[in-house]
Amino acid sequence: MRATRSARPASLRTAALLCAVLSAAGTLSACGLGGADKPTIAHKHSLTIGVKEDQPSLGVKGKDGTYQGFDVDVATYIAGRLGVPKSRIRWRTTNSSVREKALADGTVDMIVATYSITATRKRVVTFAGPYYVAHQDTLVAPGNTTIHNVRDLKGRKICAVTGSNSWRRVIEERKIAAVPVQAPTYGACMNDLAAGKLDAVSTDDLILAGFAAGHPGKIINAPFTDEKYGVGLKKGDLEGCEQINRAITAMYQDGTAARLLRKWFGTSGLKLTTSVPQFEGCS
């Protein structure tokens, strides 16, 4: 028993010495102690990625359980650049209301789900990217001829998705006295619009374009914000963030981004940006 007790401190001293050597070499992430203190997705064998399941052209879950859409394809490309093939990706539906919690508790490793970068969110999430800059616009019922721009939403019922900032950009940022109507998802918003419970749905143009392709309604084509779609990571994963930024850069430079945008939104009538977005910086 004595030999066992004396061996443990010696092994810990050896581990500490090894970590010191790795730290001096700039590879602390390979050391168990450093990895525990600052977890990163940069060297993971597999990934759990949070996406949406009800946003046409962005993230949709099929009856067979598979996911498809622009965000899914972007996430697959990024994972591949991190050394994780599609066969080792686990997809998880992550609605707007639970994104921060899912990252914090490790339910997902990263989120690619029309996740706009904001100052408030950056306090609790590390964002890579953006991987695309969308613009907030408004979708109205087919016969609506009275809403032409964001100012026309005054007194109108607009959808307020739990966890989303889009309705706040109208009411709080633009100071337009619209009437928010709560809904759990944008899919529910579209159902409410069709049922006459809403006058408009105002959110990112890529989201609206996806829904407009399969639902009655029209986009008024009056954008009024920039929405920087980021890849959400657990707060503090700067190494993972930097590697993802390199992956996003490669995605635009090798033509993949342009191909994916055309694939999912080429017939939408939106003006698509195919140049590398300006990154926010990892923090």
Side-chain angles (χ1 to χ4, degrees), residues 19-197:
C19 285
V21 172
L22 290 172
S23 179
T27 57
L28 184 58
S29 62
C31 173
L33 296 177
D37 291 338
K38 295 183 178 180
T40 178
I41 69 166
H43 312 294
K44 296 198 71 169
H45 178 263
S46 61
L47 290 170
T48 300
I49 303 177
V51 292
K52 295 291 183 66
E53 68 169 27
D54 68 339
Q55 290 186 347
S57 299
L58 287 158
V60 174
K61 185 178 182 180
K63 293 181 179 179
D64 61 355
T66 61
Y67 292 79
Q68 64 174 352
F70 176 68
D71 282 350
V72 177
D73 286 349
V74 168
T76 302
Y77 181 94
I78 290 172
R81 284 277 172 170
L82 294 177
V84 179
K86 189 174 182 179
S87 61
R88 296 204 299 268
I89 297 174
R90 180 187 177 194
W91 304 101
R92 189 178 185 93
T93 299
T94 310
N95 293 330
S96 300
S97 58
V98 300
R99 288 182 296 205
E100 288 79 17
K101 182 179 183 300
L103 287 170
D105 65 20
T107 301
V108 297
D109 297 305
M110 70 181 191
I111 292 177
V112 186
T114 61
Y115 201 1
S116 296
I117 302 170
T118 68
T120 299
R121 288 172 177 163
K122 287 175 74 172
R123 296 173 188 164
V124 292
V125 173
T126 289
F127 281 103
Y131 61 91
Y132 191 75
V133 180
H135 307 283
Q136 185 161 337
D137 211 319
T138 304
L139 184 143
V140 298
N144 189 300
T145 59
T146 59
I147 298 175
H148 305 285
N149 55 56
V150 67
R151 293 185 298 277
D152 293 332
L153 295 177
K154 180 179 179 180
R156 307 284 185 158
K157 290 183 289 186
I158 65 171
C159 204
V161 172
T162 305
S164 172
N165 284 323
S166 294
W167 66 274
R168 296 183 186 278
R169 296 195 187 283
V170 175
I171 296 174
E172 297 178 6
E173 293 182 11
R174 295 282 165 160
K175 307 299 182 183
I176 294 168
V179 180
V181 178
Q182 295 295 320
T185 66
Y186 281 106
C189 291
M190 296 304 299
N191 292 335
D192 287 347
L193 182 67
K197 297 177 182 179

Side-chain angles (χ1 to χ4, degrees), residues 56 209-216:
F211 280 117
H215 295 77

